[in-house]
Amino acid sequence: QVQLVESGGGLVQAGGSLRLSCAASGRTFSSYAMGWFRQAPGKEREFVAAKSWSLGMTSYVDSMKGRFTISRDTAKNTVYLQMNSLKPEDTAVYYCAAALTGWPGPRGKYDYWGQGTQVTVSS
């Protein structure tokens, strides 16, 4: 069983930055594909970014390329989402997810999900 716990959300002004963390417990995630998703009020959950270090695959939503970066610290079993140049439309609950095998990318199956962390960007 894998547990994912997000943290690092909060309130930030437009143009600011936040770094979200996703701490994994239960198993080491070095071979997993990790993804970040978000859900704004009244909207469906949408893909943000994903990366598989073992497969050398990375995917970002076009509108977030150059602003968001997914990374990891294997010693801490933690994945990060660095978010820069934040905009009010980035306001959402952000979720991390893990896929145990393969490359799910934006639309594939993720096996585990965190509980989410709120990001609010003020104008």
Side-chain angles (χ1 to χ4, degrees):
Q1 187 73 12
V2 173
Q3 291 184 327
L4 303 175
V5 179
E6 302 96 333
S7 62
L11 175 64
V12 64
Q13 289 188 332
S17 298
L18 281 175
R19 188 178 77 161
L20 305 183
S21 300
C22 174
S25 62
R27 294 172 65 172
T28 57
F29 71 104
S30 59
S31 63
Y32 300 169
M34 299 297 294
W36 286 95
F37 294 76
R38 70 185 186 184
Q39 187 167 19
K43 296 187 177 181
E44 293 187 352
R45 185 171 62 194
E46 66 174 345
F47 173 78
V48 173
K51 191 173 183 76
S52 170
W53 289 266
S54 61
L55 297 176
M57 305 287 289
T58 306
S59 180
Y60 292 93
V61 172
D62 284 346
S63 62
M64 299 167 202
K65 287 181 180 176
R67 296 194 302 127
F68 291 8
T69 304
I70 186 171
S71 64
R72 71 175 180 178
D73 183 333
T74 53
K76 296 181 178 180
N77 225 28
T78 299
V79 173
Y80 303 99
L81 184 69
Q82 178 68 42
M83 306 186 296
N84 299 327
S85 302
L86 284 163
K87 306 174 182 180
E89 52 264 42
D90 294 318
T91 295
V93 177
Y94 284 71
Y95 300 90
C96 70
L100 301 185
T101 59
W103 170 243
R107 289 171 290 277
K109 178 181 179 292
Y110 287 80
D111 301 291
Y112 297 99
W113 293 82
Q115 83 291 345
T117 185
Q118 176 71 48
V119 171
T120 303
V121 184
S122 63
S123 58

